[in-house]
Amino acid sequence: MDWDGIGTFALFLASGGVGLGFISLMAYRAKLKAQIEIERLKALGGPSDEVSEQLQALQNQLRRLEDRVEFNERLLEDGSDSPPEDG
């Protein structure tokens, strides 16, 4: 029986288990941090006026970008129906 191969395999399994455990702990730690941050924001009573203003500005910018995209899509649709002109 080749014990060297079994030992290598056992080491491989053990290192994989340690790696998975480490990754699991990091994920759990990130989850706890997020929960703590959510609770902190709830305790503060919601976002501040500055954050609300920034969100409103981003929403307005997003609406303008959506309008531009719709306009460009309509232009592309109109242009694709006409045959190409020979020049």
Side-chain angles (χ1 to χ4, degrees):
M1 182 176 267
D2 184 18
W3 286 100
D4 187 38
I6 293 174
T8 303
F9 183 68
L11 179 63
F12 175 75
L13 286 179
S15 63
V18 170
L20 288 176
F22 184 70
I23 290 171
S24 298
L25 286 175
M26 288 180 59
Y28 185 70
R29 182 177 167 210
K31 179 183 173 186
L32 287 177
K33 275 185 166 181
Q35 288 177 343
I36 291 170
E37 185 67 20
I38 288 170
E39 292 300 321
R40 187 183 68 81
L41 289 174
K42 285 181 182 178
L44 292 175
S48 66
D49 291 337
E50 181 182 339
V51 172
S52 296
E53 290 174 8
Q54 289 176 351
L55 285 174
Q56 187 66 32
L58 285 173
Q59 288 174 342
N60 291 336
Q61 186 179 10
L62 181 62
R63 283 189 203 108
R64 287 193 305 264
L65 290 172
E66 287 174 342
D67 290 341
R68 289 180 182 180
V69 168
E70 289 176 10
F71 178 75
N72 285 328
E73 287 175 346
R74 281 186 264 131
L75 281 178
L76 289 173
E77 287 175 3
D78 291 343
S80 64
D81 293 338
S82 62
E85 296 180 18
D86 294 332

